[in-house]
Amino acid sequence: MDKSLYMDKDSYYLAALCAAGGLGRPGILQAMEAVGSAEALFFADEAALVELGFQDKQISSFLAARRLDLPQRLERFCERQGVQLLTIFSYGYPETLKHIADPPLVLYVLGELPVYSYAVAMVGSRECTDYGLKASAYFGKGLAARGIPIVSGGARGIDTAAHEACLAAGGKTIAVLGSGLDVAYPRANKELFRRITEQGAVVTEYAPGTPPLAFNFPARNRIVVGLSQAVLVVEAKQKSGALITAHIAADEGRDVYAVPGNIFTGTSLGCHDLIRKGVKPVDRVEDILEDYQDWLAARQYRGVEQNLFAPDDGFEERIFAKQSKKTFNNTNKAKERQLEATRQSRLLAQTPTAQKIYAIFKDEALGFDEIIELSGENFTTVSMAVLDLQVAELIQDEGMQRYRRI
């Protein structure tokens, strides 16, 4: 199928398929290949969806959520709000994002994605200290002053400090939301998001009206990583969503850095854990810039065009794979025993509900609806427990809201 023939015409149908949910990103792509367009798949009836190989639960979920006017509603929203809709087939869709393990099929972009070859994601705790805010501002300003865009999640705390410092330095910044573009979260950052659109972009994979549900944020983190070439963890406790981002970054072959913190407050113990595992500690902007220059020199030596949106020849993955393997190599038996002890300790620290949900997991991945059904708990309770278990590195998201024990 010639994707160039339908990517413009089908953009809003593909967005509607994602917004309705149920079919899953890989399933959508395979089915589009079979039927020829997103529009044809969007209007497919139950029999056709069965023929395409979708499971009963997927079909019932999709058909229940499908609204036939949804593509037109999404188009009107984008036109009225000045939002650019990029699909994975669109010109301008970031090439490095396209090559992560589970790339978003659509991106809603408010503002303008800067063209760059190298960006740093800055992540950390929402409940940060003055030290964390100061460190975030220092690195955000220092990197931005050298022309390096800052990517973060738009949350309060470390994220906000990084965005603000970048804007103050006249730099480019990208905020990746875990909600629809019309749902400012946190509300206090509504004005910040407006200013970001003037010097960068606010982006999300979620359709307008999507609330900031707990399980959206670990999924959001993969986009933060995909838009960056390095990730800096500024301040993070042992149970922190920033650690999920760090591990995604390592799996995706990005450089990971951590800022050392106060040993007495516990607010940087997550950073210290990363450093013990081999992540490079940094206390000055030059620590990152030195690696950036090596990265840049290696690409120039190979004649790779310096543009995030240029075709990816796989060189980045080869550059970073060695570092990723070195950083998180826990294959010997002694470390396995230590990991098991750590796992049990983390499990004991969880709520009784989270422990109950963890016990449901065996060898196979479970979908979110299956977890609700097997646990007998409600949607909100399961959402919070699943997020806690991910932060504790007891389960991992395999995409399409399916989770597996680590």
Side-chain angles (χ1 to χ4, degrees), residues 141-155:
K141 179 180 179 181
L143 292 168
R146 289 160 175 82
I148 296 176
I150 300 300
V151 183
S152 199

Side-chain angles (χ1 to χ4, degrees), residues 183-374:
V183 183
Y185 181 79
R187 290 184 180 179
N189 279 1
K190 184 175 182 179
E191 173 61 17
L192 171 62
F193 295 150
R194 185 197 65 77
R195 288 189 288 121
I196 288 174
T197 63
E198 296 176 351
Q199 289 180 220
V202 178
V203 306
T204 185
E205 68 176 316
Y206 297 107
T210 303
L213 301 174
F215 57 74
N216 289 355
F217 293 94
R220 178 274 310 271
N221 293 344
R222 81 192 195 286
I223 301 178
V224 172
V225 170
L227 291 172
S228 312
Q229 283 63 51
V231 173
L232 173 62
V233 184
V234 179
E235 186 177 48
K237 298 179 181 179
Q238 282 185 315
K239 292 181 63 176
S240 170
L243 300 185
I244 295 177
T245 309
H247 284 273
I248 294 172
D251 290 340
E252 295 293 346
R254 270 53 170 177
D255 277 327
V256 183
Y257 304 96
V259 178
N262 191 325
I263 65 173
F264 299 108
T265 63
T267 56
S268 290
L269 291 182
C271 293
H272 297 164
D273 282 344
L274 290 174
I275 292 169
R276 276 190 287 270
K277 291 177 179 178
V279 163
K280 180 178 178 178
V282 295
D283 56 17
R284 56 186 192 133
V285 174
E286 287 71 22
D287 293 330
I288 299 174
L289 293 177
E290 289 168 358
D291 290 346
Y292 164 57
Q293 292 301 325
D294 292 341
W295 179 90
L296 193 61
R299 287 177 62 90
Q300 289 174 338
Y301 176 77
R302 294 293 298 269
V304 180
E305 185 180 352
Q306 296 306 299
N307 184 339
L308 175 70
F309 303 101
D312 188 341
D313 64 357
F315 182 52
E316 285 176 349
E317 288 78 1
R318 292 194 294 276
I319 291 176
F320 294 120
K322 185 176 181 180
Q323 172 66 21
S324 175
K325 183 177 180 181
K326 174 183 175 182
T327 301
F328 290 96
N329 184 12
N330 295 312
T331 57
N332 64 65
K333 292 183 179 180
K335 286 188 177 181
E336 284 295 334
R337 288 194 296 269
Q338 183 180 357
L339 283 173
E340 180 58 30
T342 301
R343 188 179 297 115
Q344 291 303 317
S345 175
R346 290 172 180 168
L347 184 59
L348 290 174
Q350 300 300 307
T351 64
T353 301
Q355 293 178 14
K356 170 187 173 182
I357 289 176
Y358 180 78
I360 294 171
F361 289 89
K362 303 303 179 185
D363 295 329
E364 296 183 355
L366 293 176
F368 191 80
D369 290 341
E370 292 177 290
I371 299 172
I372 293 177
E373 183 178 343
L374 292 171

Side-chain angles (χ1 to χ4, degrees), residues 67-81:
R67 299 292 181 269
L68 298 183
D69 65 341
L70 182 55
Q72 289 72 37
R73 287 165 53 198
L74 292 175
E75 184 174 9
R76 286 196 299 271
F77 170 82
C78 290
E79 288 178 350
R80 291 173 180 174
Q81 301 300 321

